[in-house]
Amino acid sequence: MATEQVPIHEVRPVTQELKIPARFIPQPVLEPGHTYSSITDHISSIVLRRKMPLIWYVGMGLSTILFLVLLAAIGQLIIVGVGIWGINHPVAWGFDILNFVWWIGIGHAGTLISAILLLLRQEWRTSINRFAEAMTLFAVASAGLYPALHTGRPWYDFWLFPYPNTMTLWPQFRSPLIWDVFAVSTYATVSFLFWYTGLIPDLATLRDRANSFFGRKIYGMLALGWRGSAKHWYRYESAYLLLAGLSTPLVLSVHTVVSFDFAVAQLPGWHSTFFPPYFVAGAVYAGFAMVLTLAIPFRKIFKLEDFITIKHLENMGKVMLATGMIVFYSYCMEAFFAFYSGNVFEKYMYLNRATGPYWKMFAMLIICNGLAPQLMWFKRLRTSAFWLFVTAQFVNVGMWLERFVIIPTSLHRDFLPSSWGMYHGTRWDWSMFIGSIGLFLFLLFLFVRFLPMISIFEMRTLVPEAHPIADEPTVEKAI
Amino acid sequence: MAQIFHRSTNTLSRVTIFGAVFMIGFVLWVIGGIVRSPYATDQGIAREQPVPFSHQHHVAGLGIDCRYCHTSVETSNFAGIPPTATCMNCHAQIWTSADMLEPVRASYSTGKPIVWSRVHRLPDFVHFNHSIHVAKGIGCATCHGRIDKMALTYQASPLTMQWCLDCHRNPERFVRPRDQVFNMAYVALNQEQIGPKLVHEYNIQSLTACSTCHY
């Protein structure tokens, strides 16, 4: 038995003899040559020692300005009311829900990467999960703004939750909107816990390496007394796995519930049973596009090419292609159902989408979500940061257009021609939207400044020394 | 390297984590108490009035019927507040020189009404109707308390939506014979028997649709 444990290359040097073509050799998820300390040094120094590059100041300045635009838009909304938005009869749901769904969708990549890929033991998630989780949180924060503010009297938002009140009123539990409240607040809570739990060992690293008094104190408090003892690690691992298990259903449930907002209504264009899978695929699609949008510039700015390798980008490109195809298939199915239903309203709705007053939106949607992701079939484009970035931008725009096409174009012409109308976002709608992008970027820039954007301790597990035996196929395994 | 935190931090952090749960619970409990308290509902708070009109004297002492002054209580939403002329029916003869009544006389001679300050005030988005309640046998005292014992008028009920609904859901617990509506001292000894009977007799419905009160 003992002889069978001998590493296989000592018996037969496989790779040299077989001459495996280069494209079959897996690309590394960590560039070679890194050690425990080089990883820790590099990532923690971004936060602790290195001066932020000029571009960080530019980005932070710009996003602060946009954030101020958001505050102005919110102020105006509170003073004047939701009348400043373009919503009115017949389109009572406009930019508010549109942007909400857009942002919530973007948030999905975080949970997918951190939970599902963790459970599937996809090592390549390691260097992007922290980043993607933070992005999820900030996207959920931006998304949460819209339902909170669209009530018109945000100071009464606690009415959304069931609690014993002097009106003896409970929320309408049969309404998908209240399911949304639970889905999104659970999602935000679990995502936050997951992200924070993952941060604890790194916060302890920062505490130990911080030079300043306040740095030590603050990181120390946030690290919750982490000492890295075996007991700590043991508890940590089980907590992290449990949270991963908890978040996994959330990846599916959140956007499913969001899609119910539409699917449960009886409006042609909304009322269809395949909305949940369609929305979930769209969400993952949008999420990966946003991770790419952020990861590509950030890895350049902070010189993280060794950690976020081209293999990561390529994998994300593949996920984008796969989910993009599902989304496009859904568009085709929508058209099919509309005609197969034999229902005059369904048919009209679809024709109106494609050829009615909003046809430009529809055409752009097909270009962005139908055609652009097809670029990812080509390995040369999939492994080029530039082309990935370009495609991701198409997807970002495309997913926004998708929600526009679903929401206002279904509402603006319903069963009764006398009640038809048009919808346009006002400048306050746009300020809110641009402002929420500002909030998102603002939080993100703060995040990269104060917290390690790549999980230090998980990266250390990718260093060859971390598993000297496991990596080498043994005879037993080979047989 | 020196320890960043003192040993006591361990205990402190445990206390704050567990304490937070109780703290949050406590704060919610306090808020829940405040919104139901007279501080928020104005229940039981007597208003300063231009003339210290006393229902105790006029209703219990003199035995004047509510409808003598609140004339429209049986026919309209609004119970009605008596004009100065109603007071002067008596006060032209009695207590004619009392300082306390000076605003009443001034109002009568100038024709400018007395500005009473409202005791009960439902928000504008709630519609209330006296006539239906009186017609279906709900006594003034059920909602306004023992007005005949109030030296200065105050609000006896919280007037929260919960309060309205408690009765709208179970009118049989409060209904009384129609001829007892204005009787302040009425006490039903066998509400369990007469309640359902009167509900049937007066055909009282349980109105809980939002549009009953909000329209």
Side-chain angles (χ1 to χ4, degrees), chain A residues 153 164-169 207-208 213 216-221 224 227, chain B residues 1 4-6 10 17 32 35-36 125 160-163 165-166 169 210:
Chain A
R153 296 191 289 172
N165 54 38
T166 59
M167 297 168 283
T168 52
L169 271 187
R207 170 196 64 195
D208 298 340
F213 174 77
R216 277 208 298 271
K217 282 270 183 211
I218 291 171
Y219 287 124
M221 266 184 242
L224 303 179
R227 287 187 309 278
Chain B
M1 194 174 74
I4 307 174
F5 298 105
H6 189 255
N10 282 334
I17 290 170
V35 296
R36 287 168 179 77
F125 53 77
T160 55
M161 181 166 142
Q162 177 168 25
W163 174 76
L165 289 175
D166 279 348
R169 287 187 178 134
C210 313

Side-chain angles (χ1 to χ4, degrees), chain B residues 83-136:
Chain B
T84 314
T86 309
C87 315
M88 291 310 272
N89 287 347
C90 296
H91 286 293
Q93 276 108 47
I94 38 176
W95 281 54
T96 45
S97 55
D99 283 349
M100 225 184 268
L101 285 168
E102 183 47 41
V104 180
R105 289 191 295 270
S107 154
Y108 192 60
S109 55
T110 57
K112 246 184 87 198
I114 303 169
V115 185
W116 303 105
S117 49
R118 262 202 99 115
V119 179
H120 300 75
R121 182 190 289 278
L122 286 176
D124 288 350
F125 53 77
V126 186
H127 291 266
F128 180 77
N129 189 324
H130 272 100
S131 60
I132 180 90
H133 291 92
V134 173
K136 296 271 179 166

Side-chain angles (χ1 to χ4, degrees), chain A residues 35-293:
Chain A
T35 61
Y36 287 150
S37 57
S38 75
I39 290 178
T40 315
D41 280 344
H42 189 101
I43 302 175
S44 66
S45 74
I46 295 176
V47 175
L48 294 176
R49 265 165 279 276
R50 202 192 290 172
K51 250 190 86 198
M52 281 286 131
L54 180 67
I55 187 139
W56 183 86
Y57 289 95
V58 176
M60 190 68 193
L62 279 177
S63 46
T64 311
I65 293 172
L66 293 185
F67 182 38
L68 291 176
V69 171
L70 176 72
L71 293 184
I74 294 177
Q76 179 77 1
L77 180 78
I78 288 175
I79 295 167
V80 181
V82 288
I84 61 170
W85 290 347
I87 45 172
N88 207 328
H89 185 79
V91 180
W93 268 12
F95 268 42
D96 41 353
I97 186 128
L98 197 169
N99 294 334
F100 164 73
V101 179
W102 190 68
W103 278 119
I104 280 283
I106 285 172
H108 269 63
T111 1
L112 184 87
I113 291 173
S114 45
I116 295 192
L117 297 190
L118 175 81
L119 296 181
L120 296 179
R121 297 179 185 278
Q122 295 292 310
E123 275 190 339
W124 61 277
R125 74 180 263 290
T126 305
S127 63
I128 50 172
N129 72 334
R130 168 76 44 76
F131 193 76
E133 283 165 28
M135 185 202 78
T136 293
L137 280 181
F138 306 149
V140 173
S142 297
L145 277 179
Y146 290 95
L149 291 170
H150 94 295
T151 58
R153 296 191 289 172
W155 48 95
Y156 282 129
D157 279 349
F158 56 88
W159 283 355
L160 293 169
F161 293 95
Y163 72 101
N165 54 38
T166 59
M167 297 168 283
T168 52
L169 271 187
W170 298 99
Q172 174 55 281
F173 289 110
R174 283 173 295 184
S175 159
L177 298 181
I178 192 73
W179 309 342
D180 243 10
V181 173
F182 292 116
V184 173
S185 54
T186 314
Y187 188 46
T189 315
V190 174
S191 305
F192 175 77
L193 285 178
F194 201 55
W195 179 71
Y196 190 74
T197 311
L199 262 174
I200 289 175
D202 281 1
L203 287 168
T205 306
L206 292 181
R207 170 196 64 195
D208 298 340
R209 294 183 154 233
N211 293 325
S212 70
F213 174 77
F214 284 113
R216 277 208 298 271
K217 282 270 183 211
I218 291 171
Y219 287 124
M221 266 184 242
L222 293 175
L224 303 179
W226 178 267
R227 287 187 309 278
S229 68
K231 205 165 162 186
H232 281 180
W233 278 111
Y234 169 71
R235 286 184 180 154
Y236 171 84
E237 293 286 349
S238 14
Y240 202 62
L241 264 181
L242 278 177
L243 282 172
L246 266 180
S247 347
T248 303
L250 288 182
V251 178
L252 300 178
S253 72
V254 179
H255 233 60
T256 300
V257 171
V258 169
S259 78
F260 285 160
D261 291 352
F262 307 101
V264 170
Q266 270 145 36
L267 195 78
W270 289 6
H271 187 57
S272 63
T273 44
F274 81 119
F275 259 39
Y278 163 24
F279 268 51
V280 171
V284 173
Y285 178 56
F288 273 87
M290 189 53 91
V291 177
L292 280 173
T293 308

